[in-house]
Amino acid sequence: MTGAAKLLRWYDRYGRDLPWRETRDPYRILVSEIMLQQTQVDRVKDFYKRWLKQFPTWKKLSLATNAQVIHAWAGLGYNRRALVLRDIARAVVADGVPTTESEWLALKGIGPYTAAAISAFAQKKRTLPIDTNIRRVLGRLLLGKTFPTIDDDPQIRHAAESFLPQRGHHEDVPQAIFDLATSICTKNPDCASCPLRDHCKAAKLFLAGRVKIPKRSVKVGNEHHHRNKPFPDRIYRGRILKLVREWGQVRLPTIGPLVDPNFDRKLDQQWINKMVERMIKDGLLCRKKDLVTLPTR
Ligand code: SF4
């Protein structure tokens, strides 16, 4: 039995039931992919269902204003994603649903991973979306690299050509790998329980205990921190948006102390102003004189 067949057999038995795995609708798949970009699977499940209730189709979403999608996205974080999704819906309504990976990639806001994921999961194309999970499993399995990096992607893609089944459910292979990556082939893998251990080029190293597991294999992003603030700017931007969303309108000079208990007007007002300006540029906020609101368009 091939490695892929063993993996799919394991997936049949242990794969997670996720709502976006029950559909081939490119819209629904895209919604899930954008939501999953920076958010854990368990958190996305409820948001995904709620979003689809409010915006069940490309058309419905394309008609939504910035304020409506910002409200619907409340709690998911990285709010720009809501606007990106709505803008993609507008492009699709205007020009039609893309049918190839390169057409997906041509849409603003869709990167190589997402283009491959929609092509595979919605349109059954034989392509491989490579994210950190897929990279870790296939880099170990096919290349024997214990902690593969992004530089290994071309080699992984090449080696995966003969791993992906030619026919049948090749689109289930990446889904199965996601589940294997989160349950068995984790940072410190449990190779003894892995359905792929007889095919894996790294299994012997791990099983022999010859691999030093780094404390931190994922590089923490270089997020900007203002002065001695305990959180990156992203957290304060989220607080500002939450405030405006809930209050409807807020005067700019009052925002600082409301989002930061240690706010110092002399040292921090510029920082708050800059974040608000940036959010206005991103389409998340609007300002008339010193009154900040959600955008109305
Ligand atoms: S055998 Fe070990 S290293 Fe290889 S894919 Fe399975 S869990 Fe990962």
Side-chain angles (χ1 to χ4, degrees), residues 137 140-141 180 184-185 189-191 194 196-197 200 202-203 206:
V137 176
R140 288 170 173 177
L141 174 75
L180 193 77
I184 293 178
C185 194
D190 176 11
C191 299
C194 181
L196 297 174
R197 68 182 172 277
C200 179
F206 282 111

Side-chain angles (χ1 to χ4, degrees), residues 228-239:
N228 53 356
K229 300 295 171 194
F231 305 113
D233 289 1
R234 172 174 58 84
I235 299 295
Y236 297 97
R237 279 199 302 269
R239 289 180 183 176

